[in-house]
């Protein structure tokens, strides 16, 4: 195939329509991120209605994020090959149909299958969101503002998902948390072809061997950790899945190094700040997912919050994330990424560490509100610069791949993080039960062990943030 562009097209939308284009893209991104947590608040009711086991319940979350993260790289390359707007619209269509099927699911197996299909649609649309922003907003200041808003949707969407899930579950049913995607998805699918410009397509191929080994490798690792939560690390299935996952990921690295047009171009990691940003986009969601998954259950099962109250309990965190994301475009050119990411990471460590002190008698104020405020402030500072660092200077021909790698780090990090922390929870509860602990205290012991592990993971983001280069006049976005 020729290296020349296949279908020349304008790379920027009509200026007066750029606001509408951004609204379409951000709405899509909010839907995709929101669905990673919107079911959290509804988990107790889903378990009751469909008969999930305690450890199997995590697959309601994992099925979506695993497939989403595993196929994102392939989705990014497919956007380069077939057209980013086309993949964006097709992905939203698949995501919308899967949401409808999930809302109608009558069994645990059907719900998990629908959630996995949602992940397929999200992986098709997700990488194109960032790529379309970088090709639509070519003026540097406008691009930084758009990327900061994208970051707000990406990080704040987790907390918004809990609020929306609480509202819909309390007022209607857990099924409404899936049905709500249908009208928004249809609107995006209708409006995007009309208003979003199709960027130039460039030489690419799908790299199916890389996609298969990468996806199966991550899937095997997640399955190993989830299986260990219920059956222990000595189980042959657990050990076999772990070994297979590591071998497949090693094969993925070898394939990518030898492929002419890989899913993950190694040149994306040549710049130090960008490499560090990718690593933190992996570690931070690993730590944060423990808060969303376990804290919602703590509020409902231990403190007996209603679903609606549980959702609104996360409102201060969401508000802080959005506030900080609006401030970052002003702060980043002045101070550079290092002080912002470092401060945010330290605040996140403090927030998750505070949750490790929970007891069965802990109340919302201050035991829950304090950590949520620290996580909101820290997440807003730590995440917003990362999107800008990665996407603001990436060449247009690598925009799809860079966006795919970024979102892959986020989704795979949250998926592996949840699997690891569910394993820690399972091991801690078994040990506590053997020591004679019962009732709510048994559950809280498992949760605090998971939060302690998450704090250690979050501490890794501090170490990575220390490696950012200090900004110079030429290096600032």
């Amino acid at each position: 195939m020729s290296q020349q562009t296949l279908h020349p097209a304008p790379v920027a939308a009509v200026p007066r329509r750029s606001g509408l284009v951004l609204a379409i893209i951000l709405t899509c991104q909010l839907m995709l991120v929101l669905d990673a947590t919107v079911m959290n608040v509804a988990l107790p009711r889903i378990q009751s209605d469909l008969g999930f086991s305690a450890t199997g319940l995590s697959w309601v979350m994992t099925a979506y994020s695993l497939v989403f993260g595993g196929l994102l790289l392939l989705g990014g390359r497919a956007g380069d090959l077939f057209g980013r707007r086309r993949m964006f619209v097709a992905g939203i269509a698949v995501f919308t149909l899967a949401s409808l099927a999930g809302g109608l699911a009558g069994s645990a197996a059907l719900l998990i299958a629908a959630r996995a299909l949602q992940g397929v649609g999200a992986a098709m649309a997700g990488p194109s969101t960032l790529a379309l922003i970088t090709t639509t907003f070519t003026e540097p200041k406008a691009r930084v503002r758009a990327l900061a808003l994208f970051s707000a949707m990406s990080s704040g969407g987790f907390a918004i998902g809990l609020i929306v899930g609480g509202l819909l579950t309390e007022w209607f049913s857990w099924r409404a948390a899936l049905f709500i995607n249908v009208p928004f998805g249809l609107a995006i699918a209708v409006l995007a072809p009309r208003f979003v410009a199709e960027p130039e397509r460039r030489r690419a191929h799908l790299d199916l061997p890389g996609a298969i080994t990468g996806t199966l490798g991550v899937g095997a690792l997640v399955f190993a950790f989830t299986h260990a939560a219920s059956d222990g690390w000595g189980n042959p299935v657990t050990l076999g899945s772990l070994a297979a996952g590591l071998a497949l990921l090693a094969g993925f690295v070898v394939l990518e190094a030898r492929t002419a047009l890989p899913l993950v171009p190694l040149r994306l990691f040549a710049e130090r700040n960008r490499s560090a940003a990718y690593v933190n986009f992996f570690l931070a969601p690993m730590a944060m997912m423990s808060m969303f998954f376990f804290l919602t259950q703590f509020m409902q099962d231990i403190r007996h919050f209603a679903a609606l109250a549980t959702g609104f309990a996360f409102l201060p965190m969401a508000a802080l994330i959005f506030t900080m994301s609006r401030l970052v475009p002003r702060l980043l050119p002045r101070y550079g990424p290092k002080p912002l990411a470092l401060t945010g990471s330290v605040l996140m460590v403090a927030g998750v560490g505070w949750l490790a002190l929970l007891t069965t008698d802990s109340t919302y104020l201050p035991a829950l509100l304090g950590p949520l405020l620290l996580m909101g402030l820290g997440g807003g500072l730590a995440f917003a610069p990362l999107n800008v660092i990665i996407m603001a200077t990436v060449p247009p021909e690598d925009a799809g791949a860079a966006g795919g790698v970024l979102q892959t780090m986020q989704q795979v990090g949250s998926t592996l993080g949840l699997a690891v922390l569910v394993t820690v929870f399972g091991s801690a509860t078994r040990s506590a039960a053997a020591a004679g602990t019962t009732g709510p205290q048994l559950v809280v012991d498992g949760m605090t062990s998971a939060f302690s592990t998450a704090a250690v993971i979050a501490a890794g983001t501090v170490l990575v943030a220390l490696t950012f280069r200090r900004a110079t006049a030429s290096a600032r976005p």
Side-chain angles (χ1 to χ4, degrees):
M1 189 180 295
S2 171
Q3 294 192 26
Q4 300 298 317
T5 56
L6 299 179
H7 296 285
V11 297
V14 178
R16 64 188 180 88
R17 297 294 190 186
S18 61
L20 179 58
V21 172
L22 184 60
I24 292 170
I25 295 172
L26 293 183
T27 301
C28 172
Q29 179 64 13
L30 180 60
M31 285 175 58
L32 303 186
V33 174
L34 184 147
D35 263 65
T37 56
V38 71
M39 307 296 287
N40 259 306
V41 176
L43 287 176
R45 298 193 187 186
I46 294 173
Q47 185 176 19
S48 174
D49 287 355
L50 300 183
F52 278 94
S53 66
T55 52
L57 190 63
S58 66
W59 280 102
V60 176
M61 315 304 301
T62 301
Y64 175 73
S65 56
L66 174 60
V67 176
F68 186 4
L71 295 179
L72 265 168
L73 295 174
L74 184 61
R77 181 58 70 216
D80 292 335
L81 180 61
F82 300 116
R84 291 166 187 166
R85 187 182 66 185
R86 181 177 296 175
M87 290 299 296
F88 178 79
V89 174
I92 280 296
V94 172
F95 181 87
T96 302
L97 289 174
S99 298
L100 179 62
L104 297 172
S107 68
L110 287 176
L111 178 60
I112 290 176
R115 291 285 284 166
L117 186 59
Q118 276 188 306
V120 173
M124 294 169 66
S128 294
T129 55
L130 269 173
L132 289 171
I133 284 179
T134 58
T135 53
T136 298
F137 297 91
T138 55
E139 194 274 321
K141 289 184 179 179
R143 177 181 288 184
V144 169
R145 285 194 296 269
L147 289 172
L149 286 172
F150 180 89
S151 176
M153 291 298 180
S154 299
S155 52
F158 289 118
I160 293 172
L162 298 172
I163 298 169
V164 172
L167 285 169
L168 295 175
T169 301
E170 188 74 20
W171 290 349
F172 303 103
S173 160
W174 62 265
R175 298 178 186 275
L178 292 165
F179 287 143
I180 193 65
N181 291 326
V182 176
F184 288 101
L186 289 174
I188 293 171
V190 170
L191 293 174
R194 182 176 180 184
F195 295 105
V196 179
E198 177 69 89
E200 295 176 346
R201 277 188 264 168
R202 300 177 182 274
R203 187 171 71 95
H205 73 98
L206 289 181
D207 186 18
L208 287 177
I212 292 170
T213 54
T215 302
L216 291 181
V218 173
L221 282 184
V222 171
F223 179 81
F225 280 105
T226 305
H227 196 266
S230 57
D231 294 81
W233 284 106
N235 185 278
V237 175
T238 302
L239 293 175
S241 298
L242 181 64
L246 294 174
L248 284 166
L249 289 178
F252 171 76
V253 173
V254 172
L255 286 172
E256 295 306 281
R258 297 180 177 179
T259 301
L261 293 171
L263 290 177
V264 183
L266 296 182
R267 59 182 174 273
L268 291 177
F269 300 91
E271 205 276 323
R272 192 171 84 185
N273 276 6
R274 190 182 297 137
S275 297
Y278 275 134
V279 173
N280 267 2
F281 245 115
F282 178 79
L283 292 175
M286 286 188 73
M288 291 185 72
M289 282 306 293
S290 68
M291 180 183 64
F292 297 125
F293 184 75
F294 291 111
L295 199 53
T296 53
Q297 294 181 68
F298 176 86
M299 292 180 186
Q300 294 184 80
D301 297 340
I302 306 300
R303 300 305 302 166
H304 306 295
F305 282 28
L308 182 60
T310 301
F312 273 103
F314 287 89
L315 184 59
M317 175 186 175
L320 269 177
I321 287 177
F322 275 102
T323 300
M324 297 312 301
S325 295
R326 295 304 299 271
L327 291 176
V328 162
R330 301 178 185 177
L331 299 175
L332 189 59
R334 182 175 181 181
Y335 298 106
K338 186 169 186 174
L340 299 185
L342 187 58
T343 302
S345 297
V346 170
L347 291 173
M348 283 176 29
V349 173
V352 180
W354 193 342
L355 290 175
L357 304 177
L358 287 177
T359 69
T360 54
D361 298 321
S362 294
T363 57
Y364 183 72
L365 187 67
L368 301 180
L369 179 60
L372 287 172
L373 291 176
L374 288 175
M375 292 295 289
L377 186 60
L381 281 173
F383 273 108
L386 302 184
N387 278 301
V388 178
I389 292 167
I390 291 171
M391 296 303 300
T393 58
V394 72
E397 62 269 20
D398 288 333
V405 173
L406 183 155
Q407 294 183 321
T408 296
M409 291 293 185
Q410 184 179 31
Q411 292 299 325
V412 173
S414 63
T415 304
L416 271 178
L418 182 57
V420 169
L421 296 169
V422 166
T423 303
V424 172
F425 173 84
S427 300
T429 51
R430 285 195 297 270
S431 298
T437 305
T438 59
Q441 186 61 52
L442 178 67
V443 177
V444 173
D445 284 352
M447 289 180 177
T448 53
S449 296
F451 288 135
S452 297
T453 304
V456 174
I457 296 171
T461 66
V462 178
L463 299 178
V464 174
L466 288 171
T467 70
F468 281 122
R469 289 198 308 266
R470 293 193 178 275
T472 62
S474 61
R476 290 170 182 163

